[in-house]
Amino acid sequence: MPANQARRETPRMTDTTPRLIKKYPNRRLYDTHTSSHLTLADVRQLVVDKVAFKVVDAKSGEDLTRSILLQVILEAESGGEPIFTSEMLMGIIQFYGPYQGVLGSYLDKSIQTVIDIQSQTGAQSSEAWSDFMHQQAPVMQDLMRQYVDQSKALYLNTQNLFGMFGAKPGTDNGPKKNGDGE
């Protein structure tokens, strides 16, 4: 029986202990639950199947889960139709620093909202969800544009209200005085 078939037949873990995946120096991933090697595509499938797992360095025990998930995203972005545009990625990079927590929280809540909507609509397969979203794309794009515009206005109003940021250096936003060319 092929290793991939064996993995598909294993039931989801019912307890709260995540499946342990070890990453070896040769960059291979080993699933201790199924006693088999995994590819990034297999890790992606674990995520899709909502199987709890944790990736650790086989030698040091360091948690590498985030790193592996980022690799899965990079692989998915490299093939097919990417989610992230270059401009979006640049914007995310610019948010690292003082606004990092705000963006992280916003993205987390936004993605969780989409997941909640998906489960409420009963869309069981990603294909059904994709078909639904393609039909709703113009409406969703307009709603997202409105939401982003409202979020931007709220953010700017909050800045102005609390005076979080003053005028840019070298600009004079105050009233003009006599002798200033009036």
Side-chain angles (χ1 to χ4, degrees), residues 39-104:
T39 64
L40 290 177
D42 296 325
V43 173
R44 181 183 186 280
Q45 192 59 49
L46 290 174
V47 172
V48 170
D49 293 342
K50 299 179 182 172
V51 175
F53 65 89
K54 180 177 181 178
V55 181
V56 297
D57 183 274
K59 193 173 186 177
S60 69
E62 177 187 0
D63 187 349
L64 302 174
T65 308
R66 282 189 75 256
S67 174
I68 296 300
L69 292 173
L70 286 168
Q71 288 178 30
V72 169
I73 290 171
L74 181 61
E75 187 174 272
E77 285 287 306
S78 297
E81 188 176 327
I83 292 175
F84 299 108
T85 63
S86 295
E87 292 79 16
M88 184 186 299
L89 291 170
M90 286 184 227
I92 290 171
I93 291 168
Q94 290 171 356
F95 263 87
Y96 278 90
Y99 301 112
Q100 190 169 334
V102 174
L103 180 63

